[in-house]
């Protein structure tokens, strides 16, 4: 394990997060399946990491009811799924950045993901590759605005400058995806926030 990863894990734990480290995404995916109990429901924030790991499909094949707004076929269905997504027992997301001083930094367009990362579920699981590790909050924002957001706007066919140039222009586009920022300095009161860190490059 690289030194920066060790330091990040130590600092996340010092800050109160429950941290597990896995060398591979497959190992992490297997462990995640054991975290959801029969009868519980699971919600998902938008995440290429989770999609590529096929966590939702694996849980569904075990009879777990899941909600993910990315499966919606219409705006009305999306709104309905988002309501259910916010009320699940367990919530899964990745993090746009994990700082080596032990914090999670995330930026959303509509705020549904970061809202659920902070409140409303019995347990929250953050799954992130070590490619998401940065030094501190300032580097996290640089990463989010110049790596994660441009790739996401391109993937989602958003009409933003970064989708074309690959870097942030601090736009005022109606389709801007950087509208609300959440920093987990520590886990919020009342439920466990677990960070599953994977020693691979995953997602954006
Ligand atoms: S503020 Fe606009 S240009 Fe900058 S990363 Fe966000 S969506 Fe892209």
């Amino acid at each position: 394990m690289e030194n920066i990863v060790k330091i990040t894990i130590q600092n996340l734990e010092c800050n109160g997060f429950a941290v597990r480290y896995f060398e591979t995404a497959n190992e992490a995916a297997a462990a995640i399946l054991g975290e959801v109990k029969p009868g519980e429901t699971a919600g998902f924030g938008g995440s290429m990491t989770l999609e590529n790991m096929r966590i939702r499909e694996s849980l569904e094949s075990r009879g777990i009811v899941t909600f993910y707004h990315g499966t919606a076929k219409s705006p009305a269905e999306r709104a309905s799924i988002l309501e259910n997504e916010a009320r699940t027992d367990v919530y899964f997301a990745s993090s746009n950045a994990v700082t080596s001083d032990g914090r999670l930094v995330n930026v959303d367009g509509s705020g549904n993901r970061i809202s659920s990362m902070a409140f409303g579920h019995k347990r929250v699981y953050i799954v992130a590759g070590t490619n998401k590790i940065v030094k501190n909050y300032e580097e996290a924002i640089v990463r989010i605005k110049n790596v994660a957001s441009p790739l996401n706007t391109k993937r989602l066919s958003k009409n933003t400058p970064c989708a074309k140039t690959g870097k942030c222009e601090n736009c005022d586009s109606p389709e801007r995806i950087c509208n609300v920022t959440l920093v987990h300095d520590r886990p919020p009161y009342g439920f466990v926030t677990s960070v599953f860190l994977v020693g691979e490059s995953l997602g954006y």
Side-chain angles (χ1 to χ4, degrees):
M1 190 191 301
E2 286 179 61
N3 206 33
I4 187 73
V5 178
K6 283 186 195 158
I7 291 167
T8 303
I9 291 171
Q10 279 170 6
N11 285 329
L12 284 166
E13 287 177 339
C14 272
N15 287 345
F17 296 99
V19 185
R20 292 181 70 182
Y21 176 78
F22 303 88
E23 288 290 347
T24 68
N26 284 343
E27 289 168 11
I32 287 166
L33 296 187
E35 295 286 327
V36 186
K37 302 177 190 114
E40 288 188 319
T41 54
F44 286 78
S47 162
M48 288 309 295
T49 298
L50 296 173
E51 282 195 34
N52 289 337
M53 290 170 74
R54 300 187 64 78
I55 302 294
R56 190 173 56 82
E57 290 83 350
S58 299
L59 287 173
E60 283 190 343
S61 73
R62 295 182 167 214
I64 301 293
V65 174
T66 73
F67 295 96
Y68 173 46
H69 58 281
T71 63
K73 307 275 188 302
S74 68
E77 188 186 7
R78 186 176 190 274
S80 167
I81 293 174
L82 279 169
E83 272 187 34
N84 287 313
E85 208 177 272
R87 297 191 188 117
T88 54
D89 297 301
V90 183
Y91 191 77
F92 291 96
S94 188
S95 186
N96 295 134
V98 180
T99 68
S100 62
D101 59 7
R103 296 188 283 172
L104 309 174
V105 183
N106 286 279
V107 177
D108 260 14
S110 60
N112 61 291
R113 180 183 63 120
I114 62 173
S115 169
S116 275
M117 288 172 82
F119 187 76
H121 306 273
K122 291 181 191 166
R123 301 186 302 284
V124 170
Y125 294 90
I126 309 299
V127 185
T130 48
N131 56 308
K132 304 281 187 78
I133 294 175
V134 294
K135 189 175 171 196
N136 53 27
Y137 173 78
E138 288 73 22
E139 281 194 11
I141 295 299
V142 170
R143 178 185 198 283
I144 291 167
K145 294 298 185 83
N146 294 291
V147 178
S149 292
L151 289 170
N152 275 318
T153 51
K154 197 168 181 186
R155 174 176 67 89
L156 298 167
S157 302
K158 297 283 187 189
N159 184 18
T160 62
C162 62
K164 300 177 186 78
T165 66
K167 63 184 176 63
C168 181
E169 312 282 348
N170 193 23
C171 70
D172 58 3
S173 162
E175 299 193 6
R176 171 179 166 129
I177 65 165
C178 311
N179 294 328
V180 277
T181 300
L182 174 71
V183 180
H184 275 76
D185 293 311
R186 288 171 178 250
Y189 294 136
F191 59 91
V192 175
T193 304
S194 297
V195 179
F196 280 28
L197 208 50
V198 182
E200 289 182 358
S201 182
L202 302 173
Y204 305 151

